[in-house]
Amino acid sequence: MEQVRWAHGVARDRLATTAPGRWRHAQAVGVRAVQIADLYKPDHGLLVAAAVLHCIGYAPDLVDTGFPPVDGARHLRDLGAHPRLCGLVAHHGGAAVEAGLRGLADELAEFPDEPGPTRDALWYCELTVGPNGERRTFDQWIADIEARDPVGSVPRRFLELGRDQLRGAVDRTRERLSHVGLERWDPTVPESA
């Protein structure tokens, strides 16, 4: 679990004082990942580390391209992080769609994408935890963007283009969790279930 301790320290150092809301979210996404990580052996540590680090690119002193997935992944690469970790951070939350809209596809392509269960699980963790660490559903996440961002904005265009890909990752992960009795971690299932 050295990778997880390292990730937690890096995220804390970059986000706790400069972006405390992001830090709360990162911690909660990390907790969500811990709750389901046993299903993702041998990627247990990788999943939790990526969950804690996924929004590190929001740290003000790391802004380079202005696109947090790329800025965060570049920082991690500079620190010597494993390429898989950098790739998961770079591609979290369907970043390829938004990178294309922002004209940053080449910058994102510096990092390998890794479709599959571990990436799906990271997206699931991120998309089922609210900005202050609260549990939420994917549909609540969608509603937050629709309420916050105007029609035609990059986030709304991203949502139009990437919704099915994101929902697929969430649904595939929920299905995996249900097969091993971890559906109690699913925010769409009441706590008493």
Side-chain angles (χ1 to χ4, degrees):
M1 284 295 134
E2 184 61 32
Q3 183 180 37
V4 173
R5 279 192 293 278
W6 175 84
H8 191 271
V10 169
R12 182 192 60 238
D13 290 348
R14 290 296 182 185
L15 297 173
T17 57
T18 63
R22 291 286 175 185
W23 174 229
R24 281 190 303 277
H25 174 70
Q27 290 178 90
V29 173
V31 168
R32 170 68 62 157
V34 167
Q35 293 169 341
I36 68 169
D38 283 346
L39 186 58
Y40 295 91
K41 291 179 181 174
D43 285 345
H44 178 280
L46 177 66
L47 172 60
V48 176
V52 171
L53 289 166
H54 81 280
C55 59
I56 194 169
Y58 286 94
D61 60 331
L62 298 183
V63 174
D64 179 29
T65 66
F67 187 46
V70 169
D71 293 343
R74 283 180 171 175
H75 176 67
L76 295 173
R77 180 180 60 199
D78 290 348
L79 293 176
H82 193 281
R84 286 185 72 204
L85 177 60
C86 296
L88 284 168
V89 169
H91 290 275
H92 79 268
V97 172
E98 189 170 347
L101 292 171
R102 294 183 182 278
L104 295 168
D106 290 342
E107 288 80 344
L108 185 64
E110 296 172 19
F111 303 96
D113 190 12
E114 185 181 314
T118 302
R119 186 186 77 171
D120 284 354
L122 174 61
W123 293 12
Y124 167 86
C125 292
E126 172 191 0
L127 299 173
T128 60
V129 173
N132 293 305
E134 69 278 8
R135 290 166 58 125
R136 67 178 178 182
T137 65
F138 178 71
D139 290 332
Q140 289 169 322
W141 180 81
I142 297 268
D144 288 348
I145 292 175
E146 290 175 341
R148 182 186 63 228
D149 297 298
V151 173
S153 66
V154 170
R156 288 291 288 272
R157 289 175 35 225
F158 160 75
L159 193 57
E160 292 166 15
L161 297 171
R163 180 187 320 238
D164 291 344
Q165 182 184 24
L166 296 170
R167 185 177 298 281
V170 169
D171 289 348
R172 286 187 298 273
T173 301
R174 287 182 62 219
E175 182 68 19
R176 285 182 193 101
L177 295 176
S178 72
H179 286 299
V180 295
L182 288 175
E183 65 272 277
R184 68 184 176 277
W185 302 120
D186 186 328
T188 62
V189 176
E191 288 287 346
S192 60

